[in-house]
Amino acid sequence: MADLKENDIHLALIHYPVFNKIGEIVTSSVTTLDVHDISRAARTYAVNSFYVVTPLKTQRQLVERLIEHWMTGYGAEYNPTRKEALLATRVTKNIKETVQDLAERCGQKPVTVATGASQFPNSIDYPSLREKIGNGKPILLLFGTGWGLEKSILAEADYVLDPIDGVGEYNHLPVRAAVAIILDRLLAR
Amino acid sequence: MADLKENDIHLALIHYPVFNKIGEIVTSSVTTLDVHDISRAARTYAVNSFYVVTPLKTQRQLVERLIEHWMTGYGAEYNPTRKEALLATRVTKNIKETVQDLAERCGQKPVTVATGASQFPNSIDYPSLREKIGNGKPILLLFGTGWGLEKSILAEADYVLDPIDGVGEYNHLPVRAAVAIILDRLLAR
C-alpha cells in the first residue's frame, strides 16, 4: 500500500444539522455500520480521509473507541481488512472544525461539495467535479445522515453535487450506498 | 409508480454456498440490513425482483416476516419508502429454485451473471452487459455474502461480471455497497 497515491478528496458524514422524517432539524445518532461501510468504500477508492462529524461528545468518543478497537489488539488481528479501512477515519465536532483541520493538513482550504437529492443553483455534475479532482485543491464531500443535510449547508457549500438519479421516481438510498455510488462515479478508473 | 417500466433484471443474494474468511464453504446468516439496503438500491434502479436465497428455513421465515411487517400494518404506515422498496423482494431456497421461479414468471430461463472479486474465462465487462439489458432475455445477477460465491457458481454461470476495481489494491467492499455500484454502472441513465 505504500505506493498508493491517495486522491486529494475527503469525506465528511454529517450528523448535525440534518433533517428528520418530518422536516425538523435534528442531531442524528452515529450508526457504527455507516462508519465501517463508508470507511471500506473510502479505502477502495483511495480517499485521503473520512471525517465522522457530530457535536455530541459521547458519540465522538464511541467512534474513537471503535477505531481504537479495530486498530490495535484483538480487533486488528481478527479483521485486518477492517483495520486498514479505518486508517483514514477521523472524528470532528462540526463542519467548521473539519474544514480547519483539512486546511492545516493540506496547507489550503478545501473546496466544499454538499450532496443531496435535489438540484440547486450551485449544482455541479459528475464529469465537471471529476475534472477538478487532482487540480491542486483538496475537495471535501459532505454527506447528510437522517433525511439529508439542512438547507444552509447546501447554500454555503462551494458546490452541490447533482443527485444520483436512478431510473424511476424512487429516491431513498441509504447514505452508505450513496457514498459508494458517488465515489465510483468520481474516482473509478 | 404505475408508469415505471421495470428493467428485466433480477438480483439474488446468495447465502449458500459461499466462502468464509478462511476459505471454507459455509451457509452465511441473513443480515436484515442487507435486505433493506439492497431492496432500496433495487427500487432506485427499477430492478424487477430481488431474491434473498438461503437453504435455512428459519432464515427464510425471518425474511418473510420482515417483509410482511413492513408491507402491512404499522410498519407500512411508519415508513412507506421502506414498504415500497420491499415490493420486489422475494425469498427462495437455492439458485436452482430461483432460476425456475424466474423462468416461470418470465416465460424463459434467465441469463445468469455471477459477481466476484476476480477475473474468469467467462468474464464480461460493464458496457457489454449493459448492452444485453433490454434485449429480450431476463438477466439474473448473483451476489455472494460472506467472503464471496463458491467457485462452482462462477463456473456454472453464463457470465462472471468484471470485479469493481477501485483505485488501489484494497478490495473489501460490503456486498450492499457492491450491489449499489454495479446497479449504477449497469442501469444509470
Side-chain angles (χ1 to χ4, degrees):
Chain A
M1 280 296 171
D3 61 345
L4 172 64
K5 169 95 174 57
E6 274 165 350
N7 289 299
D8 203 4
I9 192 163
H10 310 263
L11 311 182
L13 185 68
I14 311 296
H15 295 82
Y16 173 86
V18 295
F19 290 118
N20 70 3
K21 207 168 62 144
I22 57 170
E24 295 164 338
I25 297 170
V26 296
T27 303
S28 67
S29 291
V30 170
T31 306
T32 60
L33 186 111
D34 282 344
V35 178
H36 287 301
D37 274 24
I38 295 174
S39 294
R40 284 179 182 271
R43 188 73 202 160
T44 301
Y45 290 94
V47 161
N48 187 295
S49 57
F50 164 38
Y51 292 87
V52 180
V53 184
T54 174
L56 302 178
K57 192 174 176 188
T58 50
Q59 302 253 306
R60 290 200 303 278
Q61 288 170 336
L62 168 79
V63 180
E64 279 159 2
R65 272 212 310 280
L66 176 155
I67 295 173
E68 198 189 320
H69 172 73
W70 292 106
M71 295 302 271
T72 60
Y74 181 69
E77 197 183 316
Y78 177 76
N79 195 336
T81 70
R82 185 168 275 190
K83 175 186 174 178
E84 199 180 330
L86 289 169
L87 281 170
T89 308
R90 290 148 182 265
V91 187
T92 47
K93 215 182 290 185
N94 51 42
I95 296 178
K96 192 176 165 196
E97 189 187 281
T98 310
V99 168
Q100 278 172 349
D101 187 62
L102 266 179
E104 277 170 33
R105 289 174 53 216
C106 305
Q108 59 182 318
K109 275 186 79 174
V111 175
T112 56
V113 182
T115 61
S118 313
Q119 286 279 346
F120 286 87
N122 52 345
S123 280
I124 185 170
D125 63 22
Y126 291 85
S128 305
L129 183 56
R130 212 180 146 107
E131 268 177 31
K132 290 188 190 294
I133 298 167
N135 276 1
K137 269 195 157 270
I139 290 169
L140 174 62
L141 290 173
L142 307 171
F143 291 91
T145 54
W147 268 250
L149 293 167
E150 195 269 319
K151 272 181 275 183
S152 68
I153 300 182
L154 301 167
E156 286 164 21
D158 294 316
Y159 300 100
V160 180
L161 188 58
D162 274 351
I164 297 170
D165 279 325
V167 172
E169 296 292 309
Y170 189 85
N171 195 354
H172 306 280
L173 283 173
V175 67
R176 46 194 174 269
V179 171
I181 291 168
I182 287 172
L183 292 182
D184 190 62
R185 289 188 181 184
L186 294 177
L187 298 168
R189 279 183 181 140
Chain B
M1 277 298 172
D3 61 343
L4 172 64
K5 168 96 176 60
E6 275 166 347
N7 289 299
D8 203 4
I9 193 163
H10 310 262
L11 312 182
L13 185 67
I14 310 297
H15 296 81
Y16 173 87
V18 296
F19 290 117
N20 69 4
K21 205 167 66 144
I22 57 170
E24 295 163 339
I25 298 169
V26 295
T27 304
S28 67
S29 291
V30 170
T31 307
T32 60
L33 186 111
D34 281 345
V35 178
H36 287 301
D37 274 23
I38 296 174
S39 294
R40 284 180 182 270
R43 188 73 202 159
T44 301
Y45 290 95
V47 162
N48 188 294
S49 56
F50 163 39
Y51 291 87
V52 180
V53 185
T54 174
L56 301 178
K57 193 174 174 187
T58 49
Q59 303 253 308
R60 290 200 303 278
Q61 288 170 336
L62 167 78
V63 180
E64 279 158 2
R65 271 212 312 279
L66 176 154
I67 295 172
E68 199 189 321
H69 172 73
W70 293 106
M71 296 301 274
T72 59
Y74 182 68
E77 196 182 317
Y78 177 75
N79 195 336
T81 70
R82 186 169 276 190
K83 174 186 175 178
E84 198 181 330
L86 289 169
L87 281 171
T89 307
R90 291 149 181 264
V91 187
T92 46
K93 216 183 289 184
N94 52 42
I95 297 178
K96 194 177 163 195
E97 189 186 282
T98 311
V99 168
Q100 278 172 351
D101 187 63
L102 266 179
E104 277 169 34
R105 288 174 53 214
C106 305
Q108 60 180 319
K109 275 186 78 173
V111 175
T112 56
V113 183
T115 62
S118 312
Q119 285 279 347
F120 287 87
N122 52 345
S123 280
I124 186 170
D125 62 22
Y126 290 84
S128 304
L129 184 56
R130 214 180 144 106
E131 270 178 30
K132 290 187 190 295
I133 297 166
N135 276 0
K137 271 194 156 271
I139 290 170
L140 174 62
L141 290 173
L142 307 171
F143 292 92
T145 54
W147 268 250
L149 293 167
E150 196 269 320
K151 271 182 275 182
S152 67
I153 300 181
L154 301 168
E156 285 163 23
D158 294 317
Y159 300 100
V160 180
L161 188 59
D162 274 352
I164 296 170
D165 280 326
V167 172
E169 296 291 309
Y170 189 85
N171 193 355
H172 306 279
L173 283 172
V175 66
R176 46 194 175 267
V179 171
I181 291 168
I182 287 172
L183 292 182
D184 190 62
R185 289 189 182 184
L186 293 177
L187 298 168
R189 277 179 183 145

